[in-house]
Amino acid sequence: MAATLTVEPAGRCCWDEPVRIAVRGLAPEQPVTLRASLRDEKGARFRAHARYRADAAGHLDLARAPALGGSFAGLEPMGLLWALEPDRPFWRLVKRDVQTPFVVELEVLDGHEPDGGRLLARAEHERHFMSPGVRRVPVRAGRVRATLFLPPGPGPFPGIVDLFGVGGGLMEYRASLLAGKGFAVMALAYYNYEDLPKKANILHLEYFEEAVNYLLNHPQVKGPGIGLLGISRGGQLCLTMATFLKGITAAVIINGSVASAGGTLCYKDETLPPVGSNLNRIKDRMTTTGRVSSMLMRPLSAYRPMGRKSPRSSVTPRLGTILNPLTSPCAGLACTSWWAVISCLEESPSLMPWPRWMRGSSSRLSSTNTWVVKQGQSPQNCNFFFD
């Protein structure tokens, strides 16, 4: 009997929807390799593979059979999808046109050689970004440049403003998927898009206020308030919006800074300079040889415990002052380096987990933190939940 590869549910499936991959018609205990691949909108290919062994009946169900190696190991029913890696180093999987799906090719090969086995079965699987009935509405109202995604039905629906980070542009894939869960979601661009500023070194909160008011006044958005969702620079902006603007009842922050970083924020007659903007103070500490004073350049290992042996005194008070990200004249050094790294990584926000060397042995980014700010709390008093 010929081997058959099945994906359930068959037919239309959303990107965030789990599927069940199974193979039937194999020989008992037959070693096989499953391979997945897709091409992004620019033609770059992403691939993953895993080695398996069929059961005594010649069946293989990825929900029950652990992978024996390859791109991942262990029981990972969705491993062939989350483990997709680019052929081109450091290329990131991005979906810009949410009205078209990604097409995933799945193959079953005989043996445990990902590139040399005989092809036994093959299937194609489409992963969409808009659930049936979700409406995509471009927004060009005043200065606001955005896309509003509305769930099927008359509404009204709870509203969310969705913000991405460094790189700018208009990213819609998260908003389109959330609309399938019953939310009216506005994917908001705030720089490097159409007639918006090309850079985010100076941002005016009035622009975001205009977007919030547009969503609050939309007939299919349920009041009296809306939520915010932001990652990185967008998360930092969400915290600022929740602090200064009315009509915000919740905010979910992913890897966002609790301090202004990477640019200046302006609102009415208030200005929030970025952390580290006092770097000119460091110049005063430069020696005649052009080196920063040794106190600022000492490595962390140079500091030893002093005084009490409790955890709170494991570093010197002097070091605590220097490393304080809000008060230290050195804060800009760490912040600048961190921002440069994030700028490179987020130029194209990815649909896939970050590179394995950044996430450790887990498929989830180990450094990800999500902060939830509830109504009536300022960012200084909110509870932080780490994921």
Side-chain angles (χ1 to χ4, degrees), residues 4-8 20-24 60 106 121-123:
T4 58
L5 173 62
T6 60
V7 181
E8 297 177 352
R20 187 165 187 169
I21 302 173
V23 185
R24 294 183 178 274
L60 175 62
L106 298 168
R122 182 179 180 277

Side-chain angles (χ1 to χ4, degrees), residues 176-222:
S176 63
L177 290 170
L178 277 172
K181 313 299 182 185
F183 296 93
V185 189
M186 173 191 283
L188 180 63
Y190 56 96
Y191 83 102
N192 196 24
Y193 182 74
E194 292 186 353
D195 57 349
L196 296 176
K198 296 302 180 184
K199 297 182 179 180
N201 53 335
I202 300 179
L203 294 175
H204 295 270
L205 208 58
E206 286 85 352
Y207 172 80
F208 302 92
E209 186 174 39
E210 188 174 341
V212 168
N213 291 336
Y214 174 89
L215 196 58
L216 281 169
N217 294 324
H218 197 282
Q220 290 187 284
V221 173
K222 182 189 302 183

Side-chain angles (χ1 to χ4, degrees), residues 8 26 29 42 62 96 155-157 170 232-233 254 274 276 288 303 323 335 375:
E8 297 177 352
L26 300 172
E29 309 291 339
K42 294 188 176 181
L62 269 59
R96 299 192 181 278
F157 310 100
L170 181 59
S232 190
R233 184 71 186 278
I254 305 169
T288 56
Y303 293 90
L323 297 183
C335 183
Q375 183 177 14

Side-chain angles (χ1 to χ4, degrees), residues 231-358:
I231 183 170
S232 190
R233 184 71 186 278
Q236 172 199 320
L237 287 167
C238 286
L239 285 173
T240 308
M241 294 164 67
T243 302
F244 287 94
L245 304 184
K246 297 179 180 179
I248 308 300
T249 56
V252 176
I253 314 303
I254 305 169
N255 278 3
S257 171
V258 295
S260 179
T264 299
L265 290 172
C266 303
Y267 183 55
K268 297 181 179 178
D269 28 355
E270 291 196 44
T271 300
L272 300 177
V275 173
S277 59
N278 56 350
L279 282 177
N280 57 337
R281 292 172 55 189
I282 294 182
K283 297 179 181 178
D284 298 334
R285 307 187 69 105
M286 299 288 285
T287 66
T288 56
T289 61
R291 297 179 180 178
V292 180
S293 108
S294 60
M295 183 191 73
L296 298 179
M297 296 299 292
R298 292 178 68 187
L300 298 184
S301 59
Y303 293 90
R304 295 288 182 261
M306 296 180 62
R308 296 179 302 161
K309 300 298 182 181
S310 68
R312 291 185 180 272
S313 62
S314 59
V315 293
T316 67
R318 184 74 166 182
L319 177 62
T321 302
I322 293 175
L323 297 183
N324 187 318
L326 298 181
T327 62
S328 169
C330 300
L333 293 177
C335 183
T336 301
S337 303
W338 171 84
W339 197 259
V341 173
I342 296 300
S343 297
C344 297
L345 292 173
E346 291 189 357
E347 187 65 29
S348 298
S350 177
L351 289 165
M352 306 304 298
W354 286 23
R356 187 174 300 166
W357 58 269
M358 293 191 67

